[in-house]
Protein backbone atom coordinates (compact mmCIF):
# COMPACT_ATOMS: atom_id res chain seq x y z
CA UNK A 1 0.00 0.00 0.00
CA UNK A 2 2.82 2.40 0.90
CA UNK A 3 4.59 1.72 -2.37
CA UNK A 4 1.40 2.39 -4.34
CA UNK A 5 0.87 5.67 -2.44
CA UNK A 6 4.44 6.86 -3.22
CA UNK A 7 4.00 6.03 -6.88
CA UNK A 8 0.80 8.11 -7.04
CA UNK A 9 2.51 11.05 -5.32
CA UNK A 10 5.47 10.87 -7.71
CA UNK A 11 3.18 10.82 -10.74
CA UNK A 12 1.26 13.83 -9.42
CA UNK A 13 4.46 15.83 -8.88
CA UNK A 14 5.67 14.97 -12.37
CA UNK A 15 2.41 16.26 -13.86
CA UNK A 16 2.57 19.49 -11.83
CA UNK A 17 6.24 20.28 -12.57
CA UNK A 18 8.31 17.91 -14.74
CA UNK A 19 11.44 20.01 -14.04
CA UNK A 20 11.49 18.68 -10.50
CA UNK A 21 12.69 15.38 -11.93
CA UNK A 22 15.05 16.80 -14.52
CA UNK A 23 18.49 16.83 -12.95
CA UNK A 24 20.94 19.25 -14.56
CA UNK A 25 23.85 17.60 -16.34
CA UNK A 26 27.20 18.40 -14.73
CA UNK A 27 29.10 20.87 -16.88
CA UNK A 28 32.84 20.84 -17.33
CA UNK A 29 34.81 23.17 -15.06
CA UNK A 30 35.54 26.50 -16.72
CA UNK A 31 39.22 27.23 -17.29
CA UNK A 32 40.98 28.77 -14.31
CA UNK A 33 42.60 31.47 -16.43
CA UNK A 34 42.51 32.37 -20.08
CA UNK A 35 45.31 34.02 -22.04
CA UNK A 36 45.58 34.93 -25.69
CA UNK A 37 47.97 34.46 -28.57
CA UNK A 38 48.97 38.12 -28.71
CA UNK A 39 51.67 38.18 -31.41
CA UNK A 40 52.65 36.06 -34.41
CA UNK A 41 55.67 36.60 -36.65
CA UNK A 42 56.50 34.30 -39.53
CA UNK A 43 55.12 30.78 -39.67
CA UNK A 44 53.57 29.64 -36.39
CA UNK A 45 51.43 26.60 -35.65
CA UNK A 46 49.05 25.95 -32.77
CA UNK A 47 47.34 22.94 -31.25
CA UNK A 48 44.21 23.24 -29.13
CA UNK A 49 43.02 20.98 -26.28
CA UNK A 50 40.23 19.65 -28.51
CA UNK A 51 42.40 18.85 -31.53
CA UNK A 52 45.53 16.75 -31.75
CA UNK A 53 46.49 18.20 -35.15
CA UNK A 54 48.69 21.25 -35.67
CA UNK A 55 47.09 24.11 -37.62
CA UNK A 56 48.11 27.64 -38.60
CA UNK A 57 48.10 29.88 -35.54
CA UNK A 58 45.35 32.49 -35.16
CA UNK A 59 46.11 35.88 -33.62
CA UNK A 60 44.20 36.53 -30.37
CA UNK A 61 43.18 32.87 -30.09
CA UNK A 62 42.20 32.03 -26.46
CA UNK A 63 44.88 30.12 -24.56
CA UNK A 64 43.86 27.66 -21.86
CA UNK A 65 45.20 24.42 -20.38
CA UNK A 66 46.22 22.04 -23.17
CA UNK A 67 47.07 24.73 -25.73
CA UNK A 68 50.41 24.49 -27.56
CA UNK A 69 52.28 26.80 -29.91
CA UNK A 70 55.15 25.95 -32.25
CA UNK A 71 56.89 28.66 -34.29
CA UNK A 72 58.72 27.27 -37.30
CA UNK A 73 62.18 28.35 -38.50
CA UNK A 74 62.25 32.14 -38.46
CA UNK A 75 58.91 32.41 -36.64
CA UNK A 76 58.11 33.84 -33.21
CA UNK A 77 55.01 33.99 -31.06
CA UNK A 78 53.81 35.67 -27.89
CA UNK A 79 51.20 34.54 -25.36
CA UNK A 80 49.85 36.96 -22.77
CA UNK A 81 48.24 35.78 -19.53
CA UNK A 82 47.55 38.68 -17.19
CA UNK A 83 50.90 40.26 -16.33
CA UNK A 84 52.79 37.31 -17.79
CA UNK A 85 54.18 37.30 -21.34
CA UNK A 86 55.58 34.15 -22.98
CA UNK A 87 57.79 34.79 -26.02
CA UNK A 88 58.51 31.59 -27.96
CA UNK A 89 61.42 31.50 -30.39
CA UNK A 90 61.98 29.84 -33.76
CA UNK A 91 61.86 26.04 -34.09
CA UNK A 92 60.32 25.76 -30.63
CA UNK A 93 57.34 24.11 -28.96
CA UNK A 94 55.67 25.40 -25.80
CA UNK A 95 52.84 23.43 -24.20
CA UNK A 96 50.51 24.98 -21.61
CA UNK A 97 50.30 21.99 -19.28
CA UNK A 98 48.22 23.73 -16.61
CA UNK A 99 46.83 27.26 -16.47
CA UNK A 100 45.03 27.57 -13.15
CA UNK A 101 44.05 30.29 -10.70
CA UNK A 102 46.94 29.59 -8.33
CA UNK A 103 49.43 27.79 -10.51
CA UNK A 104 50.85 27.58 -13.99
CA UNK A 105 52.88 24.76 -15.49
CA UNK A 106 54.49 25.07 -18.92
CA UNK A 107 56.50 22.52 -20.89
CA UNK A 108 59.24 23.70 -23.22
CA UNK A 109 59.56 20.58 -25.37
CA UNK A 110 62.15 22.15 -27.67
CA UNK A 111 63.62 25.50 -28.61
CA UNK A 112 63.65 28.62 -26.45
CA UNK A 113 61.38 30.77 -24.33
CA UNK A 114 61.62 34.29 -22.92
CA UNK A 115 59.32 34.68 -19.92
CA UNK A 116 58.26 38.01 -18.39
CA UNK A 117 56.40 37.90 -15.07
CA UNK A 118 54.99 41.27 -14.02
CA UNK A 119 53.82 40.06 -10.62
CA UNK A 120 53.73 36.81 -8.67
CA UNK A 121 51.24 36.51 -5.84
CA UNK A 122 52.18 34.92 -2.55
CA UNK A 123 51.76 31.16 -2.84
CA UNK A 124 51.36 31.24 -6.62
CA UNK A 125 53.23 28.47 -8.44
CA UNK A 126 54.90 28.98 -11.81
CA UNK A 127 57.10 26.28 -13.32
CA UNK A 128 58.61 25.52 -16.70
CA UNK A 129 59.46 21.90 -17.45
CA UNK A 130 62.33 21.13 -19.82
CA UNK A 131 63.92 17.83 -20.89
CA UNK A 132 66.67 18.18 -18.26
CA UNK A 133 65.12 20.09 -15.38
CA UNK A 134 62.33 22.24 -13.99
CA UNK A 135 62.63 25.98 -13.43
CA UNK A 136 60.47 27.34 -10.59
CA UNK A 137 59.90 31.09 -10.83
CA UNK A 138 60.13 32.63 -7.37
CA UNK A 139 59.68 36.35 -8.10
CA UNK A 140 58.53 38.79 -10.74
CA UNK A 141 61.18 39.29 -13.39
CA UNK A 142 62.39 38.25 -16.82
CA UNK A 143 63.83 34.86 -17.67
CA UNK A 144 65.15 32.82 -20.58
CA UNK A 145 65.10 29.06 -21.12
CA UNK A 146 66.58 26.95 -23.88
CA UNK A 147 65.52 23.30 -23.96
CA UNK A 148 68.82 22.21 -25.49
CA UNK A 149 69.44 19.21 -27.71
CA UNK A 150 71.31 15.92 -27.50
CA UNK A 151 74.45 17.88 -28.37
CA UNK A 152 73.82 21.24 -26.64
CA UNK A 153 73.05 22.12 -23.01
CA UNK A 154 69.72 23.11 -21.51
CA UNK A 155 70.06 26.74 -20.40
CA UNK A 156 68.27 28.64 -17.63
CA UNK A 157 68.86 32.39 -17.30
CA UNK A 158 67.64 35.08 -14.92
CA UNK A 159 67.80 38.68 -16.18
CA UNK A 160 65.66 40.04 -13.33
CA UNK A 161 64.05 38.14 -10.50
CA UNK A 162 64.82 34.85 -8.78
CA UNK A 163 64.32 31.20 -9.70
CA UNK A 164 65.11 27.68 -8.50
CA UNK A 165 66.28 24.92 -10.81
CA UNK A 166 65.22 21.37 -9.94
CA UNK A 167 67.06 18.43 -11.49
CA UNK A 168 68.20 14.93 -10.64
CA UNK A 169 71.48 16.23 -9.24
CA UNK A 170 69.81 18.63 -6.77
CA UNK A 171 68.38 22.14 -6.67
CA UNK A 172 70.15 25.35 -7.67
CA UNK A 173 68.94 28.88 -6.94
CA UNK A 174 69.52 31.58 -9.54
CA UNK A 175 69.47 35.34 -8.96
CA UNK A 176 69.70 38.38 -11.23
CA UNK A 177 72.29 38.06 -13.99
CA UNK A 178 72.95 34.35 -13.38
CA UNK A 179 72.58 31.35 -15.68
CA UNK A 180 72.80 27.59 -15.24
CA UNK A 181 73.56 25.08 -17.97
CA UNK A 182 72.78 21.37 -17.77
CA UNK A 183 75.02 19.59 -20.24
CA UNK A 184 74.14 16.43 -22.17
CA UNK A 185 76.13 14.41 -19.59
CA UNK A 186 73.85 15.97 -16.88
CA UNK A 187 76.68 17.97 -15.36
CA UNK A 188 75.75 21.52 -14.33
CA UNK A 189 77.84 24.60 -15.00
CA UNK A 190 77.14 28.25 -14.20
CA UNK A 191 77.57 31.36 -16.33
CA UNK A 192 76.32 34.91 -16.78
CA UNK A 193 72.97 35.63 -18.39
CA UNK A 194 73.43 36.88 -21.94
CA UNK A 195 70.49 38.13 -24.06
CA UNK A 196 70.04 36.57 -27.51
CA UNK A 197 67.86 37.77 -30.44
CA UNK A 198 64.67 36.37 -28.90
CA UNK A 199 65.38 38.25 -25.67
CA UNK A 200 66.05 41.49 -27.55
CA UNK A 201 62.72 41.08 -29.35
CA UNK A 202 61.03 40.57 -25.98
CA UNK A 203 62.76 43.55 -24.36
CA UNK A 204 61.72 45.80 -27.24
CA UNK A 205 58.10 44.67 -26.95
CA UNK A 206 58.15 45.60 -23.27
CA UNK A 207 59.53 49.09 -23.83
CA UNK A 208 57.14 52.03 -23.98
CA UNK A 209 56.73 53.62 -27.39
CA UNK A 210 59.35 56.22 -28.14
CA UNK A 211 62.25 57.07 -30.45
CA UNK A 212 64.13 54.02 -31.79
CA UNK A 213 67.16 52.97 -29.83
CA UNK A 214 70.06 50.63 -30.44
CA UNK A 215 69.35 47.06 -29.31
CA UNK A 216 72.86 45.69 -29.64
CA UNK A 217 73.21 45.18 -25.87
CA UNK A 218 70.00 46.68 -24.53
CA UNK A 219 68.85 45.33 -21.15
CA UNK A 220 65.23 44.51 -20.36
CA UNK A 221 63.14 47.29 -18.82
CA UNK A 222 63.02 47.33 -15.02
CA UNK A 223 60.37 45.30 -13.25
CA UNK A 224 60.03 44.90 -9.51
CA UNK A 225 63.75 44.09 -9.38
CA UNK A 226 66.57 46.49 -10.35
CA UNK A 227 67.33 46.67 -14.05
CA UNK A 228 69.55 43.97 -15.44
CA UNK A 229 73.01 45.08 -16.45
CA UNK A 230 74.94 42.85 -18.80
CA UNK A 231 78.16 41.73 -17.11
Amino acid sequence: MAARFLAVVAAALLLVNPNLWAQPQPAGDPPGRVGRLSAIEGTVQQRTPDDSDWVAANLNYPVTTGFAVAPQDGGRAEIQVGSMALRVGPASELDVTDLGDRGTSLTLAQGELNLRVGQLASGERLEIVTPRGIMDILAAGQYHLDAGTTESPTRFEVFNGRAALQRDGGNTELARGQAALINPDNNLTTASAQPDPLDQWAFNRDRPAGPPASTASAPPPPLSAPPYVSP
Side-chain angles (χ1 to χ4, degrees):
M1 178 65 100
R4 181 179 177 185
F5 173 76
L6 291 175
V8 171
V9 172
L13 288 173
L14 186 58
L15 288 173
V16 173
N17 188 0
N19 290 331
L20 291 175
W21 297 92
Q23 298 297 323
Q25 295 298 317
D29 292 335
R33 281 192 295 171
V34 179
R36 68 184 182 97
L37 190 56
S38 51
I40 296 172
E41 288 191 5
T43 302
V44 179
Q45 294 183 321
Q46 70 178 41
R47 187 180 60 209
T48 68
D50 300 324
D51 193 349
S52 59
D53 295 330
W54 292 95
V55 298
N58 294 303
L59 189 63
N60 292 321
Y61 195 92
V63 173
T64 60
T65 297
F67 183 87
V69 64
Q72 305 304 295
D73 288 336
R76 291 182 293 208
E78 176 187 82
I79 295 174
Q80 287 189 347
V81 184
S83 69
M84 180 170 61
L86 314 171
R87 281 69 179 252
V88 189
S92 302
E93 179 185 338
L94 180 71
D95 298 277
V96 181
T97 311
D98 182 32
L99 189 57
D101 291 327
R102 300 297 298 168
T104 299
S105 180
L106 309 168
T107 299
L108 184 63
Q110 64 180 32
E112 58 176 339
L113 168 70
N114 177 285
L115 170 65
R116 185 183 194 274
V117 182
Q119 61 182 17
L120 194 67
S122 176
E124 183 177 357
R125 175 186 56 84
L126 175 54
E127 66 175 17
I128 304 95
V129 179
T130 75
R132 296 193 181 107
I134 300 173
M135 189 177 194
D136 285 317
I137 305 301
L138 304 178
Q142 196 140 12
Y143 306 86
H144 178 100
L145 296 93
D146 191 315
T149 66
T150 54
E151 293 82 23
S152 63
T154 300
R155 188 177 181 95
F156 307 86
E157 298 180 282
V158 177
F159 298 116
N160 288 305
R162 188 166 53 91
L165 172 60
Q166 301 179 35
R167 65 187 189 98
D168 290 341
N171 297 347
T172 302
E173 291 225 2
L174 298 173
R176 182 173 67 94
Q178 295 182 331
L181 290 76
I182 304 179
N183 298 294
D185 61 4
N186 206 38
N187 285 330
L188 182 140
T189 58
T190 57
S192 298
Q194 297 289 345
D196 71 0
L198 176 66
D199 300 316
Q200 299 296 350
W201 181 68
F203 303 158
N204 289 336
R205 289 188 60 81
D206 288 332
R207 294 182 189 283
S214 170
T215 61
S217 59
L223 299 168
S224 60
Y228 166 76
V229 178
S230 178

